[in-house]
Amino acid sequence: DDMSFFSSQFHTITFEQRIVKRLMDIGISALALIITSPILLISAICIKRNDGGKVLFKQKRATVHGKVFVIYKFRTMRENVENYSVVGDDDRVTSIGKFLRKYRIDELPQFYNILRGDMSLVGPRPEMLENVEDYTKEMPEFRYRLRMKAGLTGYAQIIGKYNTSSKDKLMLDLMYIENYSILKDIQLLFQTVMVLFNASDSTAAFQQAVDK
């Protein structure tokens, strides 16, 4: 009776919230794929004509509970080059790739990932498998980030800057998870649209965040 205890509780998304979130993902991603289908087709043709290589870039990423899935993007780099985050005037990026990256067109195939259920519209960015292992060793609390399905956008992409540390981005992701609500998702989607049309370092930060 003289022993102290510490109790810690964390937020979990409810069954009803999961249903609504999934319905939003399906509806918006399906509509986005239909609306952008001409852009998707033209982009695929341009990539193929540019160097004759593969149209899509595929990579294994981690989502909720560490589940592994294959993420899809339009290929913006030359084939058979070392894969690491793009920095400055990277010579690995093709001429058409620079255009696709500038206007975030290379991210459009991820709506297919969202439609399939691999990702959500809003959530922590899906990390490369090697990053999950490294970050978990460096920051044990990183595993709590995997409580939520990976997303296309979120706090870390909207608020984060180039100099935002991995630790601070993790805190932003955990803040989203702990304060989750459907209205918050809607708010973040509108904020993402505003960021994409704002020529500032916030836009650059979004591109850097989705590159990783």
Side-chain angles (χ1 to χ4, degrees):
D1 60 355
D2 60 348
M3 185 178 296
S4 299
F5 285 90
F6 177 76
S7 176
S8 178
Q9 296 182 338
F10 56 86
H11 178 80
T12 56
I13 184 171
T14 66
F15 176 77
E16 292 79 8
Q17 287 175 325
R18 286 198 298 270
I19 294 297
V20 175
K21 187 175 178 67
R22 181 61 186 142
L23 290 175
M24 283 179 54
D25 288 343
I26 293 173
I28 296 177
S29 60
L31 182 62
L33 286 171
I34 294 172
I35 293 175
T36 62
S37 56
I39 300 175
L40 292 169
L41 179 60
I42 293 172
S43 298
I45 294 173
C46 289
I47 294 170
K48 196 67 178 179
R49 287 176 60 87
N50 183 64
D51 59 9
K54 296 179 181 178
V55 170
L56 293 177
F57 168 76
K58 304 176 184 179
Q59 188 179 59
K60 290 183 178 180
R61 299 286 180 100
T63 184
V64 62
H65 305 314
K67 180 182 177 181
V68 177
F69 74 100
V70 177
I71 196 172
Y72 296 96
K73 296 184 180 184
F74 279 131
R75 182 176 61 85
T76 59
M77 296 186 189
R78 292 181 287 108
E79 292 190 298
N80 303 317
V81 295
E82 187 178 355
N83 182 39
Y84 54 87
S85 298
V86 174
V87 291
D89 190 18
D90 200 315
D91 61 2
R92 294 172 302 157
V93 181
T94 63
S95 56
I96 184 64
K98 291 178 181 178
F99 177 85
L100 296 177
R101 296 172 71 87
K102 180 179 179 180
Y103 295 101
R104 271 70 63 187
I105 297 173
D106 60 316
E107 304 297 328
L108 293 180
Q110 289 176 50
F111 282 116
Y112 175 65
N113 282 120
I114 296 170
L115 188 62
R116 282 183 44 166
D118 300 326
M119 296 171 56
S120 181
L121 290 167
V122 184
R125 279 299 298 172
E127 286 287 353
M128 294 185 290
L129 302 187
E130 53 269 31
N131 284 353
V132 172
E133 184 177 352
D134 292 341
Y135 287 156
T136 303
K137 289 180 180 178
E138 180 184 350
M139 302 173 289
E141 61 272 28
F142 184 84
R143 65 183 183 274
Y144 296 121
R145 183 181 183 272
L146 298 176
R147 285 186 284 137
M148 183 73 76
K149 184 181 290 187
L152 179 62
T153 187
Y155 273 137
Q157 293 87 330
I158 296 171
I159 301 175
K161 307 292 183 181
Y162 271 118
N163 58 351
T164 303
S165 67
S166 298
K167 178 78 171 181
D168 288 337
K169 287 181 180 179
L170 172 60
M171 292 301 102
L172 289 170
D173 287 331
L174 293 179
M175 183 172 68
Y176 164 74
I177 295 172
E178 290 297 324
N179 297 281
Y180 174 77
S181 71
I182 298 298
L183 290 178
K184 180 61 66 178
D185 269 11
I186 295 173
Q187 178 187 356
L188 290 173
L189 288 173
F190 276 110
Q191 285 182 295
T192 300
V193 173
M194 297 302 295
V195 167
L196 293 178
F197 285 98
N198 180 20
S200 66
D201 59 4
S202 291
T203 308
F206 181 88
Q207 182 62 54
Q208 183 198 45
V210 297
D211 286 340
K212 293 184 177 180

